[in-house]
Amino acid sequence: MRRRRPLILFFLPGLVLYLAVFVYPTLSGLYYSFTDWDGLSPSHRFVGLDNYLRLAEHIVFQKALVNNLKFMAAVVFCQTILSLVLALYLQRSTHVNAALRSLYFIPAILSSVSVGFIWTFIYDPSFGMLNNLLESAGLSSWSRNWLGDAGIAIYAVAGVQAWAHIGQMVILFVAGLQAIPADLLESAKLDGGTRWQVFRHVTWPLLAPAAALVVSYTTIQSFKAFDLVFTMTGGGPNYSTEILSTFIYGTAFSSFKFGFAAAASCVFLLLIAVITFLQFKALRTERVTY
């Protein structure tokens, strides 16, 4: 231990930073979730589980939770399927495929605020590009007030979220596909397997770890889409696009109910942890040896 003591000092800065910016704020938020702190007063009162009981009855919180689950389901489904399909076509290392991968990755470089402003303009019901294209194609009946219709607004924003990050998922899937030994695929084809059979019985089991990473990362992204939702709709119309992160922000910094917002944050954290755990468990496969 004496000889290793100098080595221990190397990870202490990282440990201190981790405790300061992650562990302490998390425990602090958990503590304040049991209080009525308004974020400004030097004192606060301990209220026990009152904040959590109020959350269970809060109409806007319930709407935000349902909206977030809808948003997550739409983003995970569209982003995972589309990125997998694109990755299957772009897995070969050619100059064209490399250029296309870079092209698909460009939206991920942009800030979510910029993406939100761009797509707000595209979705504009009067002079937006989307409705103009639909009218030019003779599909004027499909024109909508995409962000003003409470029934479809959450899915319109989900489509933007999927578009913005699909390039990242393509890269992850391509990396997973290129790690599959080519001799396994060739053996399956020589045994008479169709393209679907090869994908179902060889490619997908070996790609499952990458798929689990994509799904879990996409899920976390969909719950953290505060800046995109706030830029495009602000949670409206009539809370139809209110998600948990925008609810927490409004509760804390507009209503100054930091204790109540802290309780919502703890529920938020627990929900992400449970959903991610279930996804990893569902996508877990037996170890394949070759």
Side-chain angles (χ1 to χ4, degrees):
M1 288 299 296
R2 288 180 180 178
R3 290 197 302 268
R4 293 179 179 177
R5 191 172 299 169
L7 297 177
I8 296 175
L9 296 176
F10 282 100
F11 73 82
L12 282 180
L15 178 61
V16 171
L17 188 64
Y18 177 75
L19 293 173
V21 303
F22 181 77
V23 176
Y24 173 74
T26 301
L27 296 178
S28 178
L30 180 62
Y31 167 75
Y32 283 119
S33 70
F34 298 106
T35 70
D36 64 350
W37 188 43
D38 61 4
L40 299 173
S41 302
S43 60
H44 51 267
R45 185 169 56 92
F46 187 79
V47 296
L49 296 175
D50 184 58
N51 287 330
Y52 292 94
L53 295 176
R54 287 170 55 202
L55 278 177
E57 302 174 351
H58 202 282
I59 301 298
V60 178
F61 176 79
Q62 293 173 5
K63 273 192 172 185
L65 178 59
V66 172
N67 289 337
N68 222 146
L69 293 176
K70 290 179 181 179
F71 186 82
M72 180 205 71
V75 171
V76 169
F77 179 79
C78 295
Q79 194 165 298
T80 303
I81 298 299
L82 291 176
S83 60
L84 177 58
V85 171
L86 288 173
L88 289 171
Y89 283 99
L90 300 176
Q91 61 178 308
R92 294 180 59 189
S93 296
T94 65
H95 294 297
V96 174
N97 286 353
L100 289 174
R101 290 178 209 159
S102 301
L103 182 64
Y104 293 143
F105 193 80
I106 288 176
I109 302 174
L110 303 175
S111 70
S112 296
V113 174
S114 300
V115 171
F117 280 125
I118 291 170
W119 276 90
T120 299
F121 178 78
I122 292 174
Y123 280 145
D124 189 275
S126 301
F127 51 82
M129 184 191 303
L130 182 56
N131 280 348
N132 287 336
L133 287 175
L134 290 174
E135 291 175 4
S136 300
L139 300 173
S140 56
S141 60
W142 290 17
S143 298
R144 295 286 186 277
N145 185 358
W146 300 98
L147 300 179
D149 187 338
I152 61 174
I154 190 66
Y155 301 108
V157 180
V160 177
Q161 174 76 6
W163 173 87
H165 296 282
I166 195 171
Q168 290 176 293
M169 305 306 113
V170 168
I171 299 301
L172 292 175
F173 272 129
V174 167
L177 288 167
Q178 291 181 344
I180 299 175
D183 55 344
L184 286 179
L185 300 175
E186 290 297 330
S187 298
K189 292 176 182 177
L190 290 174
D191 288 340
T194 63
R195 295 183 66 178
W196 168 248
Q197 289 173 331
V198 172
F199 174 80
R200 172 67 181 84
H201 298 289
V202 180
T203 304
W204 177 250
L206 295 173
L207 193 62
L213 180 61
V214 167
V215 171
S216 62
Y217 184 62
T218 302
T219 299
I220 295 172
Q221 279 185 327
S222 65
F223 276 101
K224 293 171 58 180
F226 164 80
D227 41 5
L228 183 66
V229 174
F230 191 79
T231 301
M232 295 187 69
T233 64
N238 193 27
Y239 301 108
S240 61
T241 59
E242 185 86 24
I243 60 175
L244 292 176
S245 55
T246 57
F247 172 80
I248 292 168
Y249 173 84
T251 302
F253 297 102
S254 297
S255 302
F256 295 101
K257 299 177 181 178
F258 272 73
F260 191 51
S265 299
C266 291
V267 174
F268 185 35
L269 177 63
L270 181 62
L271 181 64
I272 294 177
V274 170
I275 291 177
T276 305
F277 172 77
L278 293 176
Q279 287 174 342
F280 267 106
K281 198 173 180 72
L283 292 172
R284 185 178 61 189
T285 59
E286 296 295 330
R287 185 184 297 273
V288 179
T289 58
Y290 45 84

